[in-house]
Amino acid sequence: MSPLLEALRSAGLRLTPQRLAIVECFAADETHSTAQELYERLRDRFPTMSVATVYNTLSALGSIGHCRQLDMGGPCRFDPNVAPHDHAVCERCGAIRDVELARRTEQARELPGFEVARVERIYRGICAHCAAVA
Ligand SMILES: [Zn+2]
Ligand SMILES: [Zn+2]
């Protein structure tokens, strides 16, 4: 059993076929999907599933540290990569990709009078795909 499923089970969630599929789909997702997008990918297989089921499953994963919720200004996005990293967002198609911290060009400075837990950066621009079709 994958660590994600193990974690869900120890958090007390029953591993229904729907939840298994949601976790599988989410774990393989590198596009930082919304709950709605994951739902649409699974809807054919589970016609009785609701968006709320997707959302609740991802929230449960988040509460045990296996899912990071991203606020990019639109609907909440979910990231299976919980290691510290930044994001690059395409302003044309909205694609979001991971940026390793090693790529940061300058170190984040300490803030006097503030205990910094983490620094999250968003790089905005045009992705390679959109640049190619422009
Ligand atoms: Zn793009
Ligand atoms: Zn990410």
Side-chain angles (χ1 to χ4, degrees), residues 58-123:
L58 297 176
S59 292
L61 277 179
S63 66
I64 52 176
H66 286 272
C67 169
R68 176 170 154 191
Q69 301 195 11
L70 302 180
D71 179 3
M72 295 290 187
C76 179
R77 297 180 169 276
F78 297 92
D79 193 345
N81 182 359
V82 292
H85 64 281
D86 292 326
H87 292 99
V89 184
C90 177
E91 292 185 312
R92 272 195 210 147
C93 70
I96 301 171
R97 53 165 267 205
D98 287 346
V99 181
E100 295 164 40
L101 290 191
R103 306 290 287 272
R104 275 189 187 165
T105 50
E106 60 186 87
Q107 285 302 313
R109 277 196 265 146
E110 292 182 11
L111 290 182
F114 190 87
E115 191 180 323
V116 178
R118 67 193 156 270
V119 177
E120 297 171 354
R121 279 195 192 175
I122 300 176
Y123 298 77

